[in-house]
């Protein structure tokens, strides 16, 4: 039984290390996600602008939105998301973004504060 526990621990550590290096590789191989990105939230769409790109996507193309204390996580599918920091928002802007998400009937888990 002790041997199985050791192997399980080794396997877990291996998975964690592998995940770390995979994420690091993805980050450094994609120049776009390393840029400063600004977001504009409109009634009909979300506009993203980086140093080398402009992208728009409609609310109905959003898979879901999750909000935690510091971030809005905007998912395009189950694996891909944009992380939008709330530190650049006023309380009224956060409330307005929540309203936009609800009005556009996006599946969401939003905070109540």
């Amino acid at each position: 039984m002790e041997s199985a526990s050791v192997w399980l621990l080794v396997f877990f550590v291996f998975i964690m290390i592998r995940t770390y290096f995979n994420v690091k590789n993805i980050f450094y191989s994609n120049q776009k996600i390393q840029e400063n990105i600004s977001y504009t939230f409109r009634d009909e769409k979300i506009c993203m602008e980086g140093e080398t790109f402009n992208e728009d996507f409609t609310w109905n193309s959003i898979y879901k939105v999750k909000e935690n204390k510091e971030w809005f996580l905007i998912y395009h599918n189950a694996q891909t998301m944009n992380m939008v920091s709330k530190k650049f928002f006023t309380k009224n802007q956060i409330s307005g973004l929540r309203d936009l998400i609800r009005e556009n009937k996006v599946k969401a888990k939003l905070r109540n504060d």
Side-chain angles (χ1 to χ4, degrees):
M1 185 61 134
E2 190 174 310
S3 177
S5 298
V6 170
W7 280 110
L8 186 60
L9 178 63
V10 168
F11 180 72
F12 178 74
V13 170
F14 170 77
I15 294 296
M16 296 303 294
I17 291 170
R18 183 175 172 213
T19 301
Y20 169 79
F21 284 107
N22 282 342
V23 170
K24 185 176 175 182
N25 185 39
I26 290 167
F27 179 79
Y28 286 112
S29 68
N30 187 340
Q31 197 67 30
K32 190 165 103 173
I33 63 175
Q34 297 176 49
E35 298 179 10
N36 289 324
I37 301 171
S38 64
Y39 294 86
T40 306
F41 299 94
R42 299 202 169 114
D43 290 341
E44 67 282 351
K45 64 183 175 180
I46 300 170
C47 305
M48 257 181 21
E49 184 176 342
E51 297 159 14
T52 62
F53 70 94
N54 289 314
E55 286 185 34
D56 296 344
F57 42 94
T58 59
W59 285 104
N60 64 1
S61 70
I62 302 297
Y63 175 69
K64 69 180 174 182
V65 176
K66 286 185 181 179
E67 178 188 3
N68 63 35
K69 187 176 180 179
E70 298 178 14
W71 300 91
F72 282 100
L73 308 175
I74 302 171
Y75 287 81
H76 300 277
N77 57 49
Q79 291 85 26
T80 308
M81 72 175 159
N82 291 91
M83 297 174 63
V84 181
S85 177
K86 292 166 65 174
K87 70 181 176 183
F88 301 108
F89 288 77
T90 65
K91 287 189 179 215
N92 285 340
Q93 289 172 325
I94 290 172
S95 178
L97 180 53
R98 288 177 185 143
D99 291 342
L100 266 177
I101 293 166
R102 288 183 191 107
E103 288 167 10
N104 284 283
K105 298 176 178 35
V106 176
K107 179 181 171 184
K109 210 176 242 192
L110 303 172
R111 293 172 57 98
N112 294 321
D113 53 314

